[in-house]
Every structure is written in C-alpha cells, then in structure tokens.
Amino acid sequence: MNIRLARAEDVVGMQQANLVNLPENYNIRLWIYHIVTWPQLSFVAEDPKGRIIGYVLAKIEEETVDPADIHGHINSISVMLSYRRLGLAKKLMELSQDAMVSVYKAKYVSLHVRETNRAAIGLYRDALGFEAVGTEKGYYYDGENAYMMRLNLKHD
Ligand code: ACO
C-alpha cells in the first residue's frame, strides 16, 4: 500500500470510497474544492494497482482571524473494509495533522463523529489522543448526535 498526497484526478476514487464507507456523502465539487484550496492536507492510500482504498479529506477553518485559533478540520476519512486495522487511517491522519502544523501553523485539529462510531472514536481518542469537547444534538441527517472532538497539535 502506498500513501500519498491527494491530487485532483483522485476525486472520483475518493468519492467512491466515501460512498461505500459512510452515509455522509458530498458533491464532487466539494472534493475538488478541498484539494485545490488546501492541497497539502488531503491524502489517499492506494493498492498496488493504484486503486484508492482510503482517504482523508481535510481543510483549514477559514473564518479564523486570531492566530491562536487557526485550526484544521477533518471533513471525512475512511478506509475500505478489507484494508482496515492495518494502520492506514492513523497514518493518513498523522500526515494531514503534520501538514496543518508545518504549512498553516494550525494550533489544533477538530472533527465531528457519530456517537455510535466505535471504530472512529477508537482511532481518534485511543490512537491519536483526541478529546471530546462537546456534543452537537441531531448533527446528522438521521438525528444522531455528534461528538465534537479536538486534538492540540504539537509545534517544535
Ligand atoms: N474498534 C476499536 N478501535 C479501532 C477500530 C475498531 N473497529 N478501528 C481502529 N481502531 C483504533 C485502534 O486503536 C487502532 O489501533 P490498533 O489496530 O493497533 O488497535 C487505531 O484506531 C488505528 O487503526 P487504523 O488501522 O489506522 O484504522 P483503519 O485504517 O482501520 O480505519 C476507520 C479506521 C477510518 C474509522 C475505518 O474503520 C472506517 O473507514 N470506518 C468507516 C468510515 C468511518 O467511520 N469514518 C470516520 C467517520 S468520522 C469523520 O470522517 C470525521
């Protein structure tokens, strides 16, 4: 498996993986917008044939004017079922987090996750050190609540 920066030509493969793995799906323009606007933050994992088997789609929150509040946000991450528990998601997250610091001087990274998503919460909390900082009631289309999670990023 190879992990590399996402490119504009990857958006169809990324969107396909997203459709298979998650109920939260996005217009192709949103995928392109992220990769064009923050080209250092989104990554893909590919199999030996170059097929996309995982991705992380990330951005910098733009409304921020206070440098102390510059932060990254993980919009979406997923790994195809047969490639899970190999450390791919952790690696994708770490690469994006590192770029948030080195390129944008981001102080922390945030995300939303379904309260019942045990695998993702395990990844964020246990493997990466995120903490839940609140709950958004009815955040998802089916009424499920989201945990808002956050990780302070290390600066050398
Ligand atoms: N149960 C508990 N902990 C888990 C699980 C699980 N099923 N999967 C991963 N973890 C934790 C473990 O601590 C694991 O370390 P270990 O394997 O040494 O125990 C650690 O996370 C790292 O796991 P990875 O192998 O890097 O994770 P993986 O590549 O399997 O991907 C992911 C995890 C992305 C959550 C995957 O299960 C998936 O694609 N799920 C469906 C899509 C999804 O839920 N995406 C997140 C939605 S929230 C958002 O996008 C912001």
Side-chain angles (χ1 to χ4, degrees), residues 10-96:
D10 297 322
V11 292
V12 172
M14 294 169 82
Q15 191 188 39
Q16 282 300 120
N18 169 262
L19 284 166
V20 171
N21 291 320
L22 278 167
E24 287 70 48
N25 310 127
Y26 311 101
N27 189 288
I28 199 81
R29 280 174 297 197
L30 182 122
W31 297 87
I32 294 170
Y33 176 72
H34 277 68
I35 288 171
V36 169
T37 311
W38 303 280
Q40 312 88 348
L41 300 186
S42 294
F43 290 82
V44 293
E46 57 186 3
D47 73 5
K49 291 186 173 166
R51 292 175 297 212
I52 289 173
I53 52 165
Y55 67 84
V56 60
L57 186 76
K59 66 177 180 176
I60 295 293
E61 292 288 3
E62 295 191 277
E63 70 272 17
T64 301
V65 282
D66 179 357
D69 195 48
I70 294 174
H71 65 280
H73 186 79
I74 302 296
N75 275 60
S76 184
I77 180 170
S78 74
V79 171
M80 299 301 267
L81 193 56
S82 49
Y83 292 90
R84 290 184 191 168
R85 293 314 276 264
L86 298 175
L88 289 177
K90 183 166 185 252
K91 188 73 194 161
L92 289 163
M93 288 289 295
E94 288 173 340
L95 287 168
S96 185

Coordinates of all heavy atoms in Angstrom, one line a residue, residues 10-96:
D10 N -7.8 12.3 -8.3 CA -8.2 11.3 -7.3 C -9.6 11.4 -6.9 O -10.1 10.5 -6.1 CB -7.3 11.3 -6.1 CG -5.8 11.0 -6.4 OD1 -5.6 10.1 -7.3 OD2 -4.9 11.6 -5.8
V11 N -10.3 12.5 -7.2 CA -11.5 12.8 -6.5 C -12.6 11.8 -6.8 O -13.4 11.5 -5.9 CB -12.1 14.3 -6.8 CG1 -11.2 15.3 -6.2 CG2 -12.3 14.4 -8.3
V12 N -12.6 11.2 -8.0 CA -13.6 10.2 -8.3 C -13.4 9.0 -7.4 O -14.4 8.4 -6.8 CB -13.7 9.8 -9.8 CG1 -14.6 8.7 -10.0 CG2 -14.1 11.0 -10.6
G13 N -12.2 8.5 -7.3 CA -11.9 7.4 -6.4 C -12.1 7.7 -4.9 O -12.6 6.8 -4.2
M14 N -11.8 8.9 -4.5 CA -12.1 9.3 -3.1 C -13.6 9.3 -2.9 O -14.1 8.7 -1.9 CB -11.5 10.6 -2.8 CG -10.0 10.7 -2.9 SD -9.3 12.3 -2.8 CE -9.4 12.7 -1.1
Q15 N -14.4 9.8 -3.8 CA -15.8 9.9 -3.6 C -16.4 8.5 -3.6 O -17.3 8.2 -2.8 CB -16.4 10.7 -4.7 CG -17.9 11.1 -4.5 CD -18.5 11.7 -5.7 OE1 -18.3 11.4 -6.8 NE2 -19.4 12.7 -5.4
Q16 N -15.9 7.6 -4.5 CA -16.4 6.2 -4.5 C -16.2 5.6 -3.1 O -17.1 4.9 -2.6 CB -15.6 5.4 -5.6 CG -16.1 5.7 -7.0 CD -17.5 5.3 -7.1 OE1 -18.3 6.2 -7.5 NE2 -17.9 4.1 -6.9
A17 N -15.0 5.7 -2.6 CA -14.7 5.1 -1.3 C -15.6 5.7 -0.2 O -16.1 5.0 0.7 CB -13.2 5.4 -0.9
N18 N -15.8 7.0 -0.3 CA -16.7 7.6 0.7 C -18.1 7.1 0.6 O -18.8 6.8 1.6 CB -16.7 9.2 0.4 CG -17.8 9.9 1.2 OD1 -18.8 10.2 0.6 ND2 -17.6 10.2 2.4
L19 N -18.6 6.9 -0.7 CA -20.0 6.4 -0.9 C -20.1 5.0 -0.3 O -21.2 4.6 0.3 CB -20.3 6.3 -2.4 CG -20.6 7.7 -3.0 CD1 -20.6 7.6 -4.5 CD2 -22.0 8.2 -2.5
V20 N -19.1 4.2 -0.4 CA -19.1 2.8 0.1 C -19.1 2.8 1.6 O -19.7 2.0 2.3 CB -17.9 2.0 -0.5 CG1 -17.8 0.6 0.2 CG2 -18.1 1.8 -2.0
N21 N -18.3 3.7 2.2 CA -17.9 3.6 3.6 C -18.7 4.4 4.6 O -18.7 4.2 5.8 CB -16.4 3.9 3.8 CG -15.5 2.9 3.2 OD1 -15.8 1.7 3.3 ND2 -14.5 3.3 2.6
L22 N -19.4 5.4 4.1 CA -20.1 6.4 5.0 C -21.4 6.9 4.5 O -21.5 7.1 3.2 CB -19.1 7.6 5.2 CG -18.0 7.5 6.2 CD1 -17.0 8.7 6.1 CD2 -18.6 7.5 7.6
P23 N -22.3 7.2 5.3 CA -23.6 7.8 4.9 C -23.5 9.3 4.6 O -24.4 9.9 4.0 CB -24.6 7.5 6.0 CG -23.7 7.4 7.2 CD -22.4 6.9 6.8
E24 N -22.4 9.9 5.0 CA -22.2 11.4 4.8 C -21.5 11.5 3.4 O -20.3 11.2 3.4 CB -21.4 12.0 5.9 CG -22.2 12.2 7.2 CD -22.5 11.0 7.9 OE1 -21.5 10.1 8.1 OE2 -23.7 10.7 8.3
N25 N -22.2 11.9 2.4 CA -21.6 12.0 1.1 C -21.6 13.4 0.6 O -22.5 14.2 1.0 CB -22.3 11.1 0.1 CG -22.5 9.7 0.7 OD1 -23.6 9.1 0.8 ND2 -21.4 9.1 1.1
Y26 N -20.8 13.7 -0.4 CA -20.6 15.1 -0.8 C -20.5 15.2 -2.3 O -20.0 14.3 -3.0 CB -19.3 15.7 -0.2 CG -19.2 15.5 1.3 CD1 -18.4 14.4 1.8 CD2 -20.0 16.2 2.2 CE1 -18.3 14.2 3.1 CE2 -19.9 15.9 3.5 CZ -19.0 14.9 4.0 OH -19.0 14.6 5.4
N27 N -21.0 16.4 -2.8 CA -20.9 16.7 -4.2 C -19.4 16.7 -4.7 O -18.5 17.1 -3.9 CB -21.5 18.1 -4.4 CG -21.6 18.4 -5.9 OD1 -20.6 18.7 -6.6 ND2 -22.8 18.4 -6.4
I28 N -19.1 16.2 -5.9 CA -17.8 16.2 -6.4 C -17.0 17.5 -6.3 O -15.8 17.6 -6.1 CB -17.8 15.6 -7.8 CG1 -16.4 15.1 -8.2 CG2 -18.2 16.6 -8.8 CD1 -16.1 13.7 -7.7
R29 N -17.8 18.6 -6.4 CA -17.2 19.9 -6.4 C -16.6 20.2 -5.0 O -15.6 20.9 -4.9 CB -18.2 21.0 -6.7 CG -18.4 21.2 -8.2 CD -19.5 22.1 -8.4 NE -20.8 21.6 -7.9 CZ -22.0 22.1 -8.2 NH1 -22.1 23.1 -9.1 NH2 -23.1 21.6 -7.7
L30 N -17.1 19.6 -3.9 CA -16.6 19.8 -2.6 C -15.2 19.1 -2.5 O -14.3 19.6 -1.9 CB -17.5 19.3 -1.5 CG -17.0 19.6 -0.1 CD1 -18.0 20.4 0.7 CD2 -16.7 18.3 0.6
W31 N -15.1 17.9 -3.1 CA -13.9 17.2 -3.0 C -12.8 18.0 -3.8 O -11.7 18.2 -3.3 CB -14.0 15.8 -3.7 CG -15.0 14.9 -2.9 CD1 -16.3 14.9 -3.1 CD2 -14.7 14.0 -1.9 NE1 -16.9 14.0 -2.2 CE2 -15.9 13.4 -1.5 CE3 -13.5 13.6 -1.3 CZ2 -15.9 12.5 -0.5 CZ3 -13.5 12.7 -0.3 CH2 -14.8 12.1 0.1
I32 N -13.1 18.5 -4.9 CA -12.2 19.2 -5.7 C -11.8 20.5 -5.0 O -10.6 20.9 -4.9 CB -12.7 19.6 -7.1 CG1 -12.9 18.3 -7.9 CG2 -11.8 20.5 -7.9 CD1 -13.7 18.4 -9.2
Y33 N -12.8 21.2 -4.4 CA -12.5 22.5 -3.7 C -11.5 22.3 -2.6 O -10.6 23.1 -2.5 CB -13.9 23.0 -3.1 CG -13.7 24.2 -2.3 CD1 -13.4 25.4 -2.9 CD2 -13.8 24.2 -0.9 CE1 -13.3 26.6 -2.2 CE2 -13.7 25.3 -0.2 CZ -13.4 26.5 -0.8 OH -13.2 27.7 0.0
H34 N -11.7 21.2 -1.8 CA -10.7 21.0 -0.8 C -9.3 20.7 -1.3 O -8.3 21.3 -0.7 CB -11.1 19.7 0.1 CG -12.2 20.1 1.1 ND1 -13.4 20.4 0.8 CD2 -12.1 20.1 2.4 CE1 -14.1 20.7 1.9 NE2 -13.3 20.5 2.9
I35 N -9.2 19.9 -2.3 CA -7.8 19.6 -2.8 C -7.2 20.8 -3.5 O -6.0 21.0 -3.4 CB -8.0 18.4 -3.7 CG1 -8.3 17.1 -2.9 CG2 -6.7 18.1 -4.5 CD1 -8.6 15.9 -3.6
V36 N -8.0 21.6 -4.1 CA -7.4 22.8 -4.8 C -7.1 23.9 -3.7 O -6.0 24.6 -3.8 CB -8.4 23.3 -5.8 CG1 -8.0 24.7 -6.3 CG2 -8.5 22.3 -7.0
T37 N -7.9 24.0 -2.7 CA -7.7 25.1 -1.8 C -6.7 24.8 -0.7 O -5.9 25.7 -0.3 CB -9.1 25.4 -1.1 OG1 -10.1 25.5 -2.1 CG2 -9.0 26.7 -0.2
W38 N -6.6 23.6 -0.3 CA -5.7 23.1 0.8 C -4.9 21.9 0.3 O -5.1 20.8 0.8 CB -6.4 22.8 2.1 CG -7.2 24.0 2.6 CD1 -6.7 25.1 3.3 CD2 -8.6 24.1 2.5 NE1 -7.8 25.9 3.6 CE2 -8.9 25.4 3.1 CE3 -9.6 23.4 1.9 CZ2 -10.2 25.8 3.2 CZ3 -10.9 23.9 2.0 CH2 -11.2 25.1 2.6
P39 N -4.1 22.1 -0.8 CA -3.5 20.9 -1.5 C -2.6 20.1 -0.6 O -2.2 19.0 -1.1 CB -2.8 21.6 -2.7 CG -2.5 23.0 -2.3 CD -3.6 23.4 -1.3
Q40 N -2.2 20.6 0.5 CA -1.2 19.8 1.3 C -1.9 18.9 2.4 O -1.2 18.2 3.1 CB -0.3 20.8 2.1 CG 0.3 21.9 1.3 CD -0.6 23.2 1.2 OE1 -1.8 23.1 1.5 NE2 0.0 24.2 0.7
L41 N -3.2 19.0 2.5 CA -3.9 18.4 3.7 C -4.6 17.1 3.5 O -5.0 16.4 4.4 CB -4.8 19.4 4.3 CG -4.3 20.8 4.8 CD1 -5.3 21.6 5.5 CD2 -3.1 20.6 5.7
S42 N -4.9 16.8 2.2 CA -5.7 15.6 2.0 C -4.8 14.5 1.3 O -4.0 14.8 0.5 CB -6.9 15.9 1.0 OG -7.8 16.7 1.7
F43 N -5.0 13.3 1.8 CA -4.1 12.2 1.4 C -5.0 11.0 0.9 O -6.1 10.8 1.4 CB -3.2 11.8 2.5 CG -2.2 12.8 2.9 CD1 -2.5 13.9 3.7 CD2 -0.9 12.7 2.4 CE1 -1.5 14.9 3.9 CE2 0.1 13.7 2.6 CZ -0.2 14.7 3.4
V44 N -4.3 10.1 0.1 CA -5.0 8.9 -0.3 C -4.1 7.7 0.0 O -2.8 7.9 0.0 CB -5.4 8.9 -1.7 CG1 -6.5 9.9 -2.0 CG2 -4.2 9.1 -2.7
A45 N -4.7 6.6 0.3 CA -4.0 5.3 0.3 C -4.4 4.5 -0.9 O -5.6 4.5 -1.3 CB -4.3 4.5 1.6
E46 N -3.4 3.9 -1.7 CA -3.8 3.2 -2.9 C -3.2 1.8 -2.8 O -2.2 1.5 -2.1 CB -3.3 4.0 -4.1 CG -1.8 4.2 -4.1 CD -1.4 5.1 -5.3 OE1 -2.2 5.6 -6.1 OE2 -0.1 5.3 -5.4
D47 N -3.9 0.9 -3.5 CA -3.4 -0.5 -3.6 C -2.3 -0.6 -4.6 O -2.1 0.4 -5.3 CB -4.6 -1.5 -3.7 CG -5.2 -1.5 -5.1 OD1 -4.6 -0.8 -6.0 OD2 -6.2 -2.2 -5.3
P48 N -1.7 -1.8 -4.8 CA -0.6 -1.9 -5.8 C -1.1 -1.5 -7.2 O -0.2 -1.2 -8.1 CB -0.2 -3.3 -5.7 CG -0.5 -3.7 -4.3 CD -1.8 -3.0 -4.0
K49 N -2.4 -1.6 -7.5 CA -2.8 -1.3 -8.8 C -3.2 0.2 -8.9 O -3.8 0.6 -10.0 CB -4.0 -2.1 -9.2 CG -3.7 -3.6 -9.4 CD -4.8 -4.4 -10.0 CE -4.3 -5.8 -10.3 NZ -5.4 -6.7 -10.5
G50 N -3.0 1.0 -7.9 CA -3.3 2.4 -7.9 C -4.8 2.7 -7.6 O -5.2 3.9 -7.8
R51 N -5.5 1.7 -7.1 CA -6.9 2.0 -6.7 C -7.0 2.6 -5.3 O -6.2 2.1 -4.4 CB -7.7 0.7 -6.8 CG -7.9 0.2 -8.2 CD -8.6 -1.1 -8.2 NE -7.8 -2.2 -7.5 CZ -7.8 -3.5 -7.9 NH1 -8.6 -3.9 -8.8 NH2 -7.1 -4.3 -7.2
I52 N -7.8 3.6 -5.2 CA -7.9 4.2 -3.9 C -8.7 3.4 -2.8 O -9.8 3.0 -3.1 CB -8.5 5.6 -4.0 CG1 -7.5 6.5 -4.8 CG2 -8.9 6.3 -2.7 CD1 -7.9 7.8 -5.2
I53 N -8.0 3.1 -1.7 CA -8.6 2.2 -0.7 C -8.8 3.0 0.6 O -9.3 2.4 1.6 CB -7.7 1.0 -0.5 CG1 -6.2 1.5 -0.2 CG2 -7.7 0.1 -1.6 CD1 -5.4 0.4 0.4
G54 N -8.4 4.2 0.6 CA -8.6 5.1 1.8 C -8.2 6.5 1.5 O -7.5 6.8 0.5
Y55 N -8.8 7.4 2.3 CA -8.5 8.8 2.1 C -8.8 9.6 3.4 O -9.5 9.1 4.2 CB -9.4 9.4 1.0 CG -10.9 9.4 1.4 CD1 -11.4 10.5 2.2 CD2 -11.7 8.3 1.2 CE1 -12.6 10.4 2.7 CE2 -13.0 8.3 1.7 CZ -13.4 9.4 2.5 OH -14.7 9.3 3.0
V56 N -8.2 10.7 3.4 CA -8.6 11.7 4.4 C -8.8 13.0 3.7 O -7.9 13.4 2.9 CB -7.6 11.9 5.6 CG1 -6.2 12.3 5.1 CG2 -8.1 12.8 6.7
L57 N -9.9 13.7 3.9 CA -10.2 15.0 3.3 C -10.2 16.0 4.4 O -11.0 15.9 5.4 CB -11.6 14.9 2.7 CG -12.0 16.1 1.9 CD1 -11.2 16.2 0.5 CD2 -13.5 16.2 1.6
A58 N -9.4 17.0 4.3 CA -9.2 18.0 5.4 C -9.1 19.4 4.9 O -8.9 19.6 3.7 CB -7.9 17.6 6.2
K59 N -9.3 20.3 5.8 CA -9.3 21.8 5.5 C -8.8 22.6 6.6 O -8.6 22.1 7.8 CB -10.7 22.2 5.1 CG -11.6 22.2 6.2 CD -13.0 22.8 5.8 CE -14.0 22.8 6.9 NZ -15.2 23.4 6.5
I60 N -8.6 23.9 6.4 CA -8.3 24.8 7.4 C -9.6 25.7 7.6 O -10.1 26.1 6.6 CB -7.1 25.7 7.1 CG1 -5.8 24.9 7.0 CG2 -6.9 26.9 8.1 CD1 -5.3 24.3 8.3
E61 N -10.0 25.9 8.8 CA -11.2 26.7 9.1 C -10.8 28.1 8.7 O -9.9 28.7 9.2 CB -11.6 26.6 10.5 CG -12.1 25.3 10.9 CD -13.5 24.9 10.3 OE1 -14.1 25.8 9.5 OE2 -14.0 23.9 10.7
E62 N -11.6 28.7 7.8 CA -11.3 30.0 7.2 C -11.7 31.2 7.9 O -11.2 32.3 7.7 CB -11.8 30.0 5.8 CG -11.2 29.0 4.9 CD -11.6 29.2 3.5 OE1 -12.7 28.8 3.1 OE2 -10.8 29.8 2.8
E63 N -12.7 31.1 8.8 CA -13.3 32.3 9.4 C -12.3 32.9 10.5 O -12.5 33.9 11.0 CB -14.6 32.0 10.0 CG -14.7 31.1 11.2 CD -14.8 29.7 10.9 OE1 -14.5 29.3 9.7 OE2 -15.1 28.9 11.8
T64 N -11.2 32.1 10.8 CA -10.4 32.5 11.9 C -9.5 33.7 11.6 O -8.9 33.8 10.5 CB -9.4 31.3 12.1 OG1 -10.2 30.2 12.4 CG2 -8.5 31.6 13.3
V65 N -9.5 34.7 12.5 CA -8.6 35.8 12.3 C -7.6 35.8 13.4 O -6.5 36.3 13.3 CB -9.4 37.2 12.4 CG1 -10.0 37.5 11.1 CG2 -10.4 37.2 13.5
D66 N -7.9 35.2 14.6 CA -7.0 35.1 15.7 C -6.0 34.0 15.4 O -6.4 32.8 15.3 CB -7.8 34.8 17.0 CG -6.9 34.7 18.2 OD1 -5.7 34.7 18.1 OD2 -7.5 34.5 19.3
P67 N -4.7 34.2 15.4 CA -3.7 33.2 15.1 C -3.8 32.0 16.1 O -3.5 30.9 15.7 CB -2.4 33.9 15.1 CG -2.6 35.3 15.1 CD -4.0 35.5 15.5
A68 N -4.2 32.3 17.3 CA -4.3 31.3 18.3 C -5.4 30.3 18.0 O -5.5 29.2 18.6 CB -4.5 31.9 19.7
D69 N -6.3 30.7 17.1 CA -7.5 29.8 16.8 C -7.4 29.2 15.4 O -8.3 28.5 15.0 CB -8.8 30.6 16.9 CG -10.0 29.7 17.0 OD1 -9.9 28.7 17.8 OD2 -10.9 29.9 16.2
I70 N -6.2 29.4 14.7 CA -6.1 28.7 13.4 C -6.1 27.2 13.7 O -5.4 26.7 14.5 CB -4.8 29.1 12.8 CG1 -4.8 30.6 12.4 CG2 -4.5 28.2 11.5 CD1 -3.5 31.1 11.9
H71 N -7.0 26.5 13.0 CA -7.1 25.1 13.2 C -7.6 24.4 11.9 O -8.2 24.9 11.0 CB -8.0 24.8 14.3 CG -9.5 25.1 14.1 ND1 -9.9 26.4 14.3 CD2 -10.5 24.4 13.8 CE1 -11.2 26.4 14.1 NE2 -11.6 25.2 13.7
G72 N -7.1 23.1 11.9 CA -7.6 22.2 10.8 C -8.8 21.5 11.2 O -9.3 21.5 12.3
H73 N -9.5 21.0 10.1 CA -10.7 20.2 10.4 C -10.7 19.0 9.4 O -10.4 19.2 8.2 CB -11.9 21.1 10.1 CG -13.2 20.5 10.4 ND1 -13.7 20.4 11.7 CD2 -14.1 19.8 9.7 CE1 -14.9 19.8 11.8 NE2 -15.1 19.4 10.5
I74 N -11.0 17.9 10.0 CA -11.1 16.7 9.2 C -12.6 16.5 8.7 O -13.5 16.3 9.6 CB -10.7 15.4 10.1 CG1 -9.3 15.5 10.6 CG2 -10.9 14.1 9.2 CD1 -8.2 15.6 9.6
N75 N -12.8 16.7 7.4 CA -14.1 16.5 6.9 C -14.6 15.1 6.8 O -15.7 14.7 7.1 CB -14.2 17.1 5.5 CG -14.5 18.6 5.5 OD1 -13.6 19.3 6.1 ND2 -15.6 19.0 5.0
S76 N -13.7 14.3 6.3 CA -14.0 12.9 6.1 C -12.8 12.0 6.0 O -11.8 12.4 5.5 CB -14.9 12.7 4.8 OG -15.3 11.4 4.6
I77 N -12.9 10.8 6.6 CA -11.8 9.8 6.5 C -12.5 8.5 6.4 O -13.5 8.2 7.1 CB -10.8 9.9 7.6 CG1 -9.7 8.8 7.4 CG2 -11.5 9.7 9.0 CD1 -8.6 9.0 8.4
S78 N -12.0 7.6 5.5 CA -12.5 6.2 5.5 C -11.4 5.3 4.8 O -10.6 5.8 4.0 CB -13.8 6.1 4.9 OG -13.8 6.2 3.5
V79 N -11.5 4.1 5.2 CA -10.6 3.0 4.6 C -11.6 1.8 4.2 O -12.5 1.5 5.0 CB -9.6 2.6 5.7 CG1 -8.8 1.3 5.2 CG2 -8.6 3.7 6.0
M80 N -11.3 1.3 3.1 CA -12.2 0.2 2.6 C -12.0 -1.0 3.6 O -11.0 -1.3 4.1 CB -11.7 -0.3 1.2 CG -11.9 0.8 0.1 SD -13.5 1.5 -0.1 CE -14.1 0.4 -1.4
L81 N -13.2 -1.7 3.7 CA -13.3 -2.7 4.8 C -12.1 -3.7 4.8 O -11.6 -4.0 5.9 CB -14.6 -3.5 4.5 CG -15.1 -4.4 5.6 CD1 -15.3 -3.6 6.9 CD2 -16.5 -5.0 5.2
S82 N -11.7 -4.2 3.7 CA -10.7 -5.3 3.7 C -9.3 -4.7 4.0 O -8.3 -5.5 4.1 CB -10.7 -6.1 2.4 OG -10.7 -5.2 1.3
Y83 N -9.1 -3.4 4.1 CA -7.8 -2.9 4.4 C -7.8 -2.2 5.8 O -6.9 -1.5 6.1 CB -7.4 -1.8 3.4 CG -7.2 -2.4 2.0 CD1 -8.2 -2.6 1.1 CD2 -5.9 -2.9 1.7 CE1 -7.9 -3.2 -0.1 CE2 -5.6 -3.5 0.5 CZ -6.7 -3.6 -0.4 OH -6.4 -4.2 -1.7
R84 N -8.8 -2.5 6.6 CA -8.9 -1.9 8.0 C -8.0 -2.6 9.0 O -7.6 -3.7 8.7 CB -10.3 -1.9 8.5 CG -11.2 -0.9 7.6 CD -12.6 -0.7 8.1 NE -13.3 0.0 7.1 CZ -14.6 0.2 7.1 NH1 -15.4 -0.4 8.1 NH2 -15.2 0.9 6.2
R85 N -7.7 -1.9 10.0 CA -6.8 -2.4 11.1 C -5.4 -2.6 10.7 O -4.7 -3.5 11.2 CB -7.4 -3.6 11.8 CG -8.7 -3.4 12.6 CD -8.7 -2.2 13.5 NE -8.1 -2.3 14.8 CZ -8.8 -2.5 15.9 NH1 -10.1 -2.7 15.8 NH2 -8.2 -2.5 17.1
L86 N -4.9 -1.9 9.6 CA -3.6 -2.0 9.2 C -2.8 -0.8 9.5 O -1.6 -0.6 9.1 CB -3.5 -2.3 7.7 CG -4.2 -3.6 7.2 CD1 -4.2 -3.6 5.6 CD2 -3.4 -4.8 7.7
G87 N -3.4 0.2 10.2 CA -2.8 1.4 10.5 C -2.9 2.5 9.4 O -2.3 3.6 9.5
L88 N -3.7 2.3 8.4 CA -3.8 3.2 7.3 C -4.4 4.6 7.8 O -3.9 5.6 7.5 CB -4.6 2.7 6.1 CG -3.8 1.6 5.3 CD1 -4.7 1.0 4.2 CD2 -2.5 2.1 4.7
A89 N -5.5 4.5 8.5 CA -6.2 5.7 8.9 C -5.4 6.5 9.8 O -5.3 7.7 9.7 CB -7.6 5.3 9.6
K90 N -4.7 5.8 10.7 CA -3.8 6.5 11.7 C -2.7 7.3 10.9 O -2.5 8.5 11.1 CB -3.2 5.6 12.7 CG -2.3 6.2 13.7 CD -2.0 5.2 14.8 CE -1.2 5.9 15.9 NZ 0.2 5.5 16.0
K91 N -2.1 6.6 9.9 CA -1.1 7.3 9.1 C -1.7 8.4 8.3 O -1.1 9.5 8.2 CB -0.5 6.2 8.1 CG 0.7 6.7 7.4 CD 1.9 6.8 8.3 CE 3.0 7.6 7.6 NZ 4.0 8.1 8.6
L92 N -2.8 8.3 7.7 CA -3.5 9.3 6.9 C -3.7 10.6 7.8 O -3.5 11.7 7.4 CB -4.8 8.9 6.3 CG -4.7 7.9 5.2 CD1 -6.1 7.2 4.9 CD2 -4.3 8.6 3.9
M93 N -4.2 10.3 9.0 CA -4.5 11.4 9.9 C -3.2 12.1 10.3 O -3.1 13.4 10.4 CB -5.2 10.9 11.2 CG -6.6 10.4 11.1 SD -7.7 11.8 10.8 CE -7.6 12.7 12.4
E94 N -2.1 11.3 10.6 CA -0.9 11.9 11.1 C -0.3 12.8 10.0 O 0.3 13.9 10.3 CB 0.1 10.8 11.5 CG -0.3 10.2 12.9 CD 0.5 9.0 13.3 OE1 1.1 8.4 12.4 OE2 0.4 8.7 14.5
L95 N -0.3 12.3 8.7 CA 0.2 13.1 7.6 C -0.5 14.5 7.5 O 0.1 15.5 7.3 CB 0.1 12.3 6.3 CG 1.2 11.2 6.2 CD1 0.8 10.3 5.1 CD2 2.6 11.7 6.1
S96 N -1.9 14.4 7.6 CA -2.6 15.6 7.5 C -2.3 16.6 8.6 O -2.2 17.8 8.4 CB -4.1 15.3 7.4 OG -4.9 16.4 7.1

